[in-house]
Amino acid sequence: MEVDDENKGNDNVDESLYSRQLYVIDHESMKKMQQSTVLIAGMNGLGVEIAKNTILAGVKSVTIFDPTVVQINDLASNFYATPQAVGKQTRAQSSIEQLKSLNPYVNVECITNNASLQQLIESKSYDVIVLVNYPLKEVVNYNKLAHALNLRFISCDCCGVFGQIFVDFGQEFECTDLTGEPPMQGMVVSVTKEKEGVVTVHEDTRHGMVDGDFVEFKEIEGMTQLNELKPRPIKVLSAFTFSIGDTTAFDDYTGQGLFFQVKQGAKLSFLPLSELLGMSQKDLMNAKQPKIIQTDFAKNAYEQHLFYLALQEYRESNNGKYPLPTNKGEENEKVYAFFTKLCAQNELECKEEATKAKYSELARASSAVISPMCAFLGGIVGQEVLKACSHKFTPLQQLLYFDAFECLPVGVADSEQFAAQNCRYDDNLAVFGKDIQEQVLKAKLFLVGAGAIGCEMLKNWALMGVACDARKQGSIVVTDMDRIERSNLNRQFLFRETDIGSAKSTAAAKAARAMNADIHIVSHENRVGAESEHIYNFDFWSALNAVCTALDNVQARLYVDAQCVYYNKPLLESGTLGTKGNTQIVVPKMTESYGSTRDPEERGVPICTLKNFPNKIEHTIQWARDDFEGEFAQTIIDINKYIERGDAFLKEIANKTEEVSTLQKIRAGLQTYDMDADGQRPLNFQQCVQWARNKFEHDFTHRIKQLLYNFPHDAVTTEGAKFWSPPKRAPNVIEFDAKDALHLAYITAAANLRAFVYGLKGSAEAEEITALLQKCTVKQFEVDPNKKIAANDKEKEEEKESMEMDDDEIEKLRESLKGENRKQFIGMTLSAIEFEKDDDSNFHMDFITCSANLRARNYRIEEKSKHDIKKIAGKIIPAIATTTALVTGLISLEFYKLVQSEKKKIEDYRSCYVNLALPLLTMSEPVAAGTTSVNKKGDEQWQYTLWDVIEPFNKSNGREKTVQDLLSYFEHEWASDLEIITYGNAIVYAFYMADNVLEARRSMKLLDLVQQVCGKVDDNARVLCFEVSATKQDSGEDLMLPTVSVYI
């Protein structure tokens, strides 16, 4: 897509491109970013990663500066450097064209003249300065300059598996939103009159605030003074109460009302690096406001700080270079000597042997720049750049250190393992050595998903050399069913405008090959599930070294996790939600699986709340979404089925109530439009508008009038309490007004959707719609004194039972439908509408937005923008490139541990939770797999985990084994009787079956029995998996046993 220069950096926000990011960074913050200029000096792998994340996010301009000529080892981390650029182009020149292609709205420039970095900073042409891999002394000097000019400054360094970040946004930096969390709001049920007035919120939802948050009130009855107060701070008393100060002078609270959290910004002050370097441990690690962010509580952040200073001291003494990876230890010793000197000066005690081993190894690997570390650090730094531009989220204050020491190889005596081979993997070799790199080259991995995480993962693997061996022994299989949409381009960085409509897996594989031509990658478009087990079968899973999920739903993750447990394969799991991310490493025989712990299921909204008593915008959106599905999808599908199959379709309907509703809708949908006779089949667009106008009247006027007839504003319950009390909100009737933009937009959307269903030509012209509305006749409201409206879900169920028609009435409906002469419609197919949230021309989101906001207006609920409603209606997961890059970097580091799994313990692995908005990073050891103990024959105890199965027979002869063989195995080995054997959902053998059945089945081969009961077993199946119920022969005690696997 081409973008004119005058449209670059303007105030307009392209929602179709930035839609997922705008749910993380709001429109106002996005506009600030679009006016911001960024300079990135240093274009090694980390610099390119930062530039990529910044450009994708949509700042005004990014200027890159690095006169260093590309070397062969740059190809291990700079994904835009090519072999052809080695020795010929600078790092900046080799990256510029690819960076420009990431986002047409961002001006990307490369400094090619002889300007110095000092001149660039002094020009004040850039709002944010980022320095990558600069020596500490230079960083200090450039930071002093930037601080004096009040420019926002970030520096960072990637040294093998050690990284450092420094942030300075000046003496006074205004942050408009510290957390990015949506402001809380809720219903008030009481307010006390006292010196510290206590507000109690409805038990339906916790208030979710902390001490010092500010609130304001609306619609409070009785104590109306609260409605006029400016936002005031609170003190939290419990999950449902908080105090707001003196309320003794106010009137008594009598009911109703809402509270709203009011987000407060903050002015933050930053110190230049020179001052931080002079601080003591006590000042830097101050509990109230530490200057060093803790990334792993198993490590000493101040110790990491001193190691960084020691490494920089060595670098200064060695002409700006880090220790060679092949040094015999003397260079590492120098770094460690600097480190111990700094420890002594700062009174830091360190355990000699363990500390020396760790920091000597970190020093040995420090000259390298590797892709996983660049992805991790680049995600953090990229987000800090966006904070500097948007003033949204809490900046990093001010230092961060990270090391992945646990990734490094153990016990490598030969330093030549780390020697360069004049190849693209030289930096990987410098860190991990030749043997590990060879295993990486031969790895066989399965990547499930090629979206944002999948793209970043493939980039990392291409640079690491995964599946890139010359003999093609390694392989990557990537599968994804989805096609590329425009909204993907903002974070799925392997895709371009020309890829829209292409399969994600195919385009991602092609892009990965462009980064490393040696990669052996195969793309599929299959859903991974039961339906594809003939493709992803025993042989496929057995050949894998590991599986990586890049999925956006829990059910798919659980399936892949179960397969990994079944086949004993490691799982690399990660996910993101806006600025939040998590990683989990699942190691066979060692850790719990992804499915071992699950979040509680989300509570559903009661039907009565949706139908009659909404109190949140989420309720009105769900109501609108359900209405859309009913009117334009399900009803139309039913009509088509009836046209095609007639009475045969009606006989399949589950119950009488459902049948009556379906019959009525089919009849109305097929009858020519007649308002008096309930016919709703339009013959022209005028009748579509007529239908939409009457639907408006029915949904937002008539049904509200009926509700208020049943439950007037002053209604009381049988206990004498107000009926319309929290969480219920008494509604108001809406009178249609064609001059109201929301009313007209609803009619336009509804009429055009109706026209689409019936194959008629619609119109979006306001003048034409208004003219057609003037010709419409509207049904007058008639109250139904006999209509019952359920006040809760229990009453709703009772109402359903009482509403069931008898068979005679249903038969009358059937006969009336036959009167429509179904044969005249045969061959006609109405167009059922499948909801598509990202097409702004199809009226789908227009209808849901208008419908949700009109219903919100009925109930005095705050209306929302189309953008906000789309997130909820479309169940959109907020996403941003920075978090995605970060989690894939961490997962890639865990992969290096899996390659060395025989030498790694559970404490060497790390799972992570991150929230870049705060910023918060917490590393933790994975949870060990739980064990179960059972006694075998002779009371021999056996402990097993979820990773274990019972294999009663040799793998070579299981096909011939009978049920009796299995019974005998448990009798002899476990001194137990098998009482029930199940395969899948079928019971194939059970003690309560007839004696003749049991006798016949005991003699059957297990495979034959399964096929007799369950049908033919797939030819590709290699194992039969049984669940068994067994009891001890001596005590009758039930045994808790794992799956029994029989190889066939």
Side-chain angles (χ1 to χ4, degrees):
M1 182 186 70
E2 294 295 326
V3 176
D4 295 335
D5 287 341
E6 62 263 25
N7 290 325
K8 292 187 177 183
N10 65 18
D11 269 353
N12 298 322
V13 177
D14 186 340
E15 288 191 358
S16 66
L17 177 63
Y18 297 119
S19 64
R20 304 313 187 257
Q21 180 177 292
L22 284 168
Y23 296 121
V24 185
I25 298 174
D26 58 84
H27 284 73
E28 288 306 311
S29 300
M30 187 72 206
K31 288 175 182 178
K32 292 176 186 174
M33 283 169 45
Q34 290 185 157
Q35 299 301 321
S36 299
T37 56
V38 180
L39 170 67
I40 301 173
M43 291 300 289
N44 63 7
L46 178 53
V48 173
E49 187 74 42
I50 296 165
K52 178 257 291 179
N53 293 335
T54 305
I55 293 166
L56 287 173
V59 298
K60 180 179 181 180
S61 72
V62 172
T63 302
I64 59 175
F65 172 75
D66 192 337
T68 310
V69 174
V70 175
Q71 302 298 315
I72 190 69
N73 61 304
D74 285 319
L75 304 186
S77 59
N78 186 328
F79 43 89
Y80 288 149
T82 64
Q84 294 74 28
V86 173
K88 297 176 182 177
Q89 289 183 308
T90 67
R91 289 169 172 171
Q93 290 169 338
S94 69
S95 308
I96 187 67
E97 291 306 319
Q98 289 279 23
L99 290 173
K100 282 182 176 181
S101 71
L102 287 171
N103 191 335
Y105 289 104
V106 181
N107 284 305
V108 184
E109 298 177 348
C110 170
I111 299 296
T112 56
N113 57 29
N114 293 323
S116 68
L117 181 54
Q118 180 171 334
Q119 290 172 326
L120 294 173
I121 296 173
E122 287 176 338
S123 72
K124 298 183 70 174
S125 300
Y126 309 101
D127 301 305
V128 187
I129 312 295
V130 183
L131 268 57
V132 182
N133 200 39
Y134 274 70
L136 179 59
K137 185 176 284 188
E138 292 184 31
V139 172
V140 169
N141 291 332
Y142 289 129
N143 174 234
K144 283 181 181 177
L145 176 60
H147 191 86
L149 295 171
N150 200 31
L151 302 176
R152 284 145 270 169
F153 181 93
I154 303 169
S155 69
C156 53
D157 205 350
C158 176
C159 315
V161 291
F162 183 85
Q164 176 267 353
I165 299 169
F166 164 71
V167 172
D168 173 11
F169 289 171
Q171 296 178 24
E172 190 174 280
F173 178 79
E174 185 173 357
C175 181
T176 57
D177 184 350
L178 293 169
T179 67
E181 297 296 326
M184 303 302 295
Q185 65 181 69
M187 305 191 81
V188 175
V189 296
S190 72
V191 186
T192 64
K193 281 181 69 173
E194 52 186 317
K195 284 290 185 184
E196 280 295 332
V198 176
V199 178
T200 303
V201 304
H202 193 268
E203 63 184 9
D204 191 40
T205 309
R206 297 165 180 256
H207 59 67
M209 295 183 290
V210 297
D211 288 348
D213 282 346
F214 281 68
V215 296
E216 64 182 5
F217 299 90
K218 295 180 182 179
E219 301 179 26
I220 299 288
E221 295 178 359
M223 197 179 284
T224 55
Q225 294 89 343
L226 288 179
N227 298 327
E228 309 301 323
L229 288 180
K230 292 181 179 179
R232 55 169 49 193
I234 68 160
K235 183 177 181 182
V236 172
L237 303 177
S238 75
F240 299 98
T241 59
F242 55 86
S243 62
I244 56 171
D246 192 352
T247 57
T248 54
F250 299 160
D251 297 331
D252 291 337
Y253 171 86
T254 59
Q256 298 293 337
L258 303 168
F259 78 87
F260 295 86
Q261 181 188 5
V262 180
K263 300 298 283 286
Q264 301 290 306
K267 289 185 178 179
L268 307 174
S269 180
F270 293 78
L271 298 174
L273 183 57
S274 56
E275 290 189 33
L276 292 180
L277 295 179
M279 283 186 174
S280 65
Q281 178 179 0
K282 181 181 177 181
D283 292 333
L284 282 174
M285 304 303 294
N286 183 296
K288 289 186 177 180
Q289 194 174 4
K291 291 296 183 182
I292 301 179
I293 300 293
Q294 189 83 41
T295 57
D296 189 335
F297 287 94
K299 299 176 181 179
N300 186 322
Y302 187 69
E303 194 175 272
Q304 292 173 318
H305 171 65
L306 295 184
F307 172 71
Y308 173 72
L309 297 182
L311 201 56
Q312 293 303 313
E313 193 169 345
Y314 174 88
R315 186 182 184 187
E316 186 180 350
S317 68
N318 193 40
N319 297 318
K321 294 181 180 179
Y322 291 112
L324 289 171
T326 52
N327 80 85
K328 304 297 184 183
E330 66 281 359
E331 295 179 35
N332 306 339
E333 289 280 358
K334 288 181 182 179
V335 175
Y336 190 70
F338 289 136
F339 172 71
T340 54
K341 179 185 71 174
L342 288 168
C343 288
Q345 290 173 356
N346 290 278
E347 300 179 351
L348 180 69
E349 202 174 316
C350 52
K351 296 176 183 177
E352 181 67 23
E353 286 188 22
T355 306
K356 184 173 183 179
K358 172 180 177 176
Y359 289 113
S360 294
E361 273 297 282
L362 288 175
R364 176 195 61 74
S366 60
S367 64
V369 180
I370 60 172
S371 174
M373 286 292 294
C374 292
F376 169 71
L377 295 170
I380 299 174
V381 176
Q383 191 66 55
E384 294 305 308
V385 173
L386 303 187
K387 292 174 187 178
C389 297
S390 67
H391 293 259
K392 182 162 185 173
F393 305 136
T394 304
L396 192 156
Q397 293 178 285
Q398 289 184 254
L399 291 163
L400 178 145
Y401 298 100
F402 173 81
D403 76 69
F405 168 72
E406 297 78 13
C407 291
L408 295 176
V410 178
V412 180
D414 183 8
S415 63
E416 289 305 307
Q417 273 279 321
F418 309 110
Q421 298 180 0
N422 194 33
C423 72
R424 66 180 301 142
Y425 308 118
D426 279 353
D427 273 9
N428 298 329
L429 291 166
V431 177
F432 300 106
K434 179 182 175 184
D435 291 346
I436 292 174
Q437 185 60 35
E438 285 181 355
Q439 291 183 64
V440 170
L441 291 167
K442 296 175 183 177
K444 294 181 174 67
L445 300 183
F446 186 25
L447 177 61
V448 188
I453 288 176
C455 285
E456 292 284 347
M457 213 70 240
L458 287 176
K459 174 257 295 177
N460 292 343
W461 289 352
L463 299 177
M464 292 158 61
V466 174
C468 293
D469 66 311
R471 296 182 181 179
K472 303 291 184 186
Q473 291 174 283
S475 66
I476 297 169
V477 175
V478 55
T479 186
D480 195 309
M481 302 175 301
D482 290 346
R483 300 266 153 175
I484 297 165
E485 300 173 356
R486 189 161 187 270
S487 62
N488 299 147
L489 305 183
N490 171 238
R491 63 203 182 283
Q492 299 174 20
F493 87 106
L494 295 185
F495 307 142
R496 297 293 181 270
E497 193 84 19
T498 53
D499 294 317
I500 291 175
S502 302
K504 285 186 177 181
S505 56
T506 304
K510 180 181 177 182
R513 291 187 198 100
M515 290 180 180
N516 187 339
D518 294 329
I519 195 167
H520 183 210
I521 183 169
V522 179
S523 60
H524 293 172
E525 296 178 47
N526 306 313
R527 181 193 298 274
V528 178
E531 65 269 33
S532 59
E533 286 181 359
H534 63 291
I535 300 169
Y536 308 117
N537 54 25
F538 180 90
D539 293 337
F540 175 84
W541 284 93
S542 299
L544 296 173
N545 297 120
V547 179
C548 180
T549 52
L551 295 161
D552 59 3
N553 72 88
V554 172
Q555 288 307 312
R557 284 183 165 106
L558 289 171
Y559 174 84
V560 174
D561 175 66
Q563 293 296 90
C564 287
V565 171
Y566 179 78
Y567 289 101
N568 270 241
K569 298 299 176 184
L571 174 65
L572 299 160
E573 159 62 25
S574 60
T576 68
L577 181 66
T579 59
K580 300 168 187 170
N582 68 279
T583 65
Q584 182 180 358
I585 176 72
V586 178
V587 185
K589 309 293 186 184
M590 184 181 290
T591 72
E592 68 175 13
S593 72
Y594 171 80
S596 297
T597 54
R598 302 188 194 181
D599 293 331
E601 288 190 18
E602 194 175 333
R603 271 196 316 174
V605 181
I607 294 172
C608 282
T609 300
L610 291 177
K611 280 183 71 71
N612 296 309
F613 310 114
N615 57 70
K616 298 176 182 176
I617 192 67
E618 288 83 359
H619 299 161
T620 72
I621 293 170
Q622 185 61 55
W623 180 85
R625 185 77 172 80
D626 292 345
D627 188 39
F628 179 95
E629 287 297 317
E631 291 286 4
F632 306 116
Q634 192 54 55
T635 296
I636 310 308
I637 290 169
D638 289 342
I639 292 173
N640 285 335
K641 285 181 179 178
Y642 175 73
I643 291 172
E644 182 182 349
R645 299 170 55 208
D647 285 346
F649 162 66
L650 299 179
K651 288 176 183 177
E652 295 173 2
I653 299 173
N655 58 60
K656 291 180 182 178
T657 304
E658 184 183 348
E659 183 175 10
V660 169
S661 174
T662 304
L663 285 168
Q664 290 171 336
K665 289 176 181 177
I666 291 174
R667 186 178 66 176
L670 290 178
Q671 277 185 344
T672 304
Y673 197 91
D674 183 342
M675 195 169 70
D676 295 326
D678 292 328
Q680 294 182 0
R681 177 165 63 91
L683 301 178
N684 52 53
F685 188 58
Q686 165 68 56
Q687 291 178 348
C688 293
V689 174
Q690 172 84 25
W691 175 86
R693 175 65 185 87
N694 276 280
K695 179 172 173 56
F696 180 103
E697 200 72 12
H698 174 270
D699 287 350
F700 308 113
T701 303
H702 292 181
R703 69 186 300 160
I704 301 301
K705 287 180 178 179
Q706 182 67 51
L707 180 62
L708 290 174
Y709 172 82
N710 287 58
F711 304 110
H713 282 106
D714 58 356
V716 294
T717 66
T718 53
E719 292 82 15
K722 286 183 179 180
F723 179 84
W724 293 108
S725 60
K728 293 184 177 74
R729 293 172 64 78
N732 296 317
V733 171
I734 294 177
E735 298 296 343
F736 182 78
D737 180 0
K739 294 178 182 178
D740 187 310
L742 182 61
H743 296 196
L744 187 62
Y746 176 87
I747 299 297
T748 303
N752 277 279
L753 289 170
R754 192 72 172 172
F756 178 85
V757 165
Y758 284 90
L760 303 171
K761 184 180 178 182
S763 172
E765 294 297 326
E767 289 184 10
E768 183 178 349
I769 302 291
T770 303
L772 292 174
L773 278 169
Q774 292 173 359
K775 302 176 184 177
C776 292
T777 54
V778 180
K779 276 189 176 181
Q780 295 303 305
F781 173 69
E782 293 181 14
V783 70
D784 183 353
N786 299 316
K787 185 175 179 64
K788 291 183 178 180
I789 296 177
N792 53 53
D793 278 5
K794 183 180 178 183
E795 289 184 15
K796 184 70 181 172
E797 287 302 313
E798 294 170 355
E799 181 186 311
K800 265 188 186 177
E801 293 171 13
S802 65
M803 282 176 58
E804 285 199 0
M805 286 186 173
D806 59 33
D807 292 338
D808 289 342
E809 290 175 296
I810 292 175
E811 191 56 37
K812 285 181 183 177
L813 264 175
R814 286 176 179 270
E815 289 301 319
S816 70
L817 195 55
K818 287 178 182 177
E820 293 305 312
N821 187 9
R822 183 177 68 89
K823 291 181 181 179
Q824 69 175 305
F825 300 113
I826 292 175
M828 179 182 84
T829 302
L830 305 185
S831 299
I833 298 177
E834 183 176 350
F835 176 61
E836 170 49 58
K837 60 186 178 293
D838 287 321
D839 182 352
D840 286 335
S841 66
N842 62 14
F843 294 103
H844 298 190
M845 275 310 307
D846 296 288
F847 176 84
I848 289 171
T849 299
C850 295
S851 185
N853 278 334
L854 283 166
R855 190 159 173 80
R857 192 173 292 183
N858 275 139
Y859 287 86
R860 293 170 292 111
I861 297 168
E862 184 181 2
E863 297 170 30
K864 295 290 184 181
S865 68
K866 180 179 174 180
H867 175 74
D868 290 335
I869 289 174
K870 182 162 82 168
K871 177 191 174 186
I872 300 168
K875 297 181 179 178
I876 292 173
I877 299 172
I880 193 166
T882 50
T883 319
T884 307
L886 184 151
V887 298
T888 60
L890 290 174
I891 278 294
S892 298
L893 289 171
E894 295 305 302
F895 172 70
Y896 277 114
K897 299 173 189 176
L898 289 177
V899 172
Q900 309 167 70
S901 58
E902 292 182 1
K903 296 182 179 180
K904 296 299 180 183
K905 301 174 183 177
I906 193 167
E907 54 265 31
D908 293 322
Y909 293 95
R910 291 288 185 274
S911 294
C912 176
Y913 171 78
V914 58
N915 186 345
L916 287 175
L918 298 179
L920 170 71
L921 291 98
T922 57
M923 305 283 176
S924 60
E925 291 177 14
V927 178
T931 59
T932 303
S933 297
V934 292
N935 289 330
K936 299 180 75 172
K937 190 172 184 178
D939 289 332
E940 175 192 349
Q941 192 176 73
W942 182 54
Q943 286 192 332
Y944 69 91
T945 71
L946 77 161
W947 297 99
D948 295 304
V949 296
I950 295 173
E951 295 181 5
F953 314 120
N954 292 330
K955 292 182 179 180
S956 59
N957 62 2
R959 194 179 188 88
E960 303 302 317
K961 295 299 181 179
T962 65
V963 174
Q964 183 58 58
D965 292 329
L966 189 60
L967 297 175
S968 299
Y969 167 80
F970 276 93
E971 182 179 353
H972 296 143
E973 296 295 324
W974 292 82
S976 64
D977 294 324
L978 277 192
E979 297 193 333
I980 299 176
I981 306 173
T982 63
Y983 180 83
N985 294 323
I987 297 174
V988 296
Y989 181 91
F991 68 92
Y992 52 76
M993 292 176 174
D995 290 344
N996 62 322
V997 174
L998 291 176
E999 185 177 352
R1001 292 193 174 186
R1002 286 191 197 103
S1003 62
M1004 292 182 70
K1005 293 177 182 178
L1006 288 162
L1007 177 59
D1008 292 342
L1009 176 59
V1010 166
Q1011 295 195 126
Q1012 175 182 300
V1013 176
C1014 306
K1016 189 174 186 328
V1017 173
D1018 191 285
D1019 292 337
N1020 293 312
R1022 297 289 182 272
V1023 183
L1024 298 177
C1025 292
F1026 300 98
E1027 302 301 326
V1028 299
S1029 174
T1031 57
K1032 296 291 286 184
Q1033 291 175 335
D1034 53 358
S1035 64
E1037 175 192 356
D1038 289 333
L1039 289 177
M1040 291 275 295
L1041 296 174
T1043 299
V1044 176
S1045 293
V1046 177
Y1047 284 79
I1048 57 173

